[in-house]
Amino acid sequence: MEKSTKKPAHPLRFYCAIFGHNYEMTKKVTSHVKEYTCTCCKHQLTTNGNGKLTELTPKYQEINAILERIYSRRMLRLKSQSLTSSIC
Ligand SMILES: [Zn+2]
């Protein structure tokens, strides 16, 4: 009998430890802040206020969610401004 249902959570973490993570961008929060996820072990990073990469902690997830809301609202306003410039 094969036991294929129970796999370790991060089978490739060992690979990452040796060769380094293989991050890909998973979310664009703003034009400066992005979130990255390692395709091997699903470790997440984000850009912090200094433009450096840091671990995506719950605190940063919260910050990014707020940033995203502000950013998308601003983008929306910019878009509607250019569309309705003749009215305003
Ligand atoms: Zn990794």
Side-chain angles (χ1 to χ4, degrees), residues 23-36:
Y23 291 110
E24 67 169 11
M25 197 181 88
T26 45
K27 195 176 187 181
K28 191 183 172 188
V29 181
T30 71
S31 55
H32 303 296
V33 179
K34 293 165 184 89
E35 290 178 8
Y36 301 88

Side-chain angles (χ1 to χ4, degrees), residues 1 4 11-12 14 18-19 21 24 28-29 31 36 44 49-50 62-63 67 72 74 79 82-83 87-88:
M1 286 289 248
S4 55
L12 292 165
F14 186 62
I18 297 168
F19 299 104
H21 295 287
E24 67 169 11
K28 191 183 172 188
V29 181
S31 55
Y36 301 88
Q44 289 184 299
N50 305 317
E62 211 174 288
I63 293 169
L67 277 177
S72 60
R74 201 170 55 190
K79 216 194 264 178
S82 60
L83 283 172
I87 298 165
C88 297

Side-chain angles (χ1 to χ4, degrees), residues 9 14 17 20-22 31 35-37 44 51 55 59 62-63 65-66 70-71 75-78 80-81 87-88:
F14 186 62
H21 295 287
N22 185 28
S31 55
E35 290 178 8
Y36 301 88
T37 305
Q44 289 184 299
E55 202 170 327
K59 185 78 198 162
E62 211 174 288
I63 293 169
I66 295 164
I70 296 168
Y71 184 73
M75 285 291 115
L76 214 72
R77 209 173 57 199
L78 280 175
S80 62
Q81 257 178 7
I87 298 165
C88 297

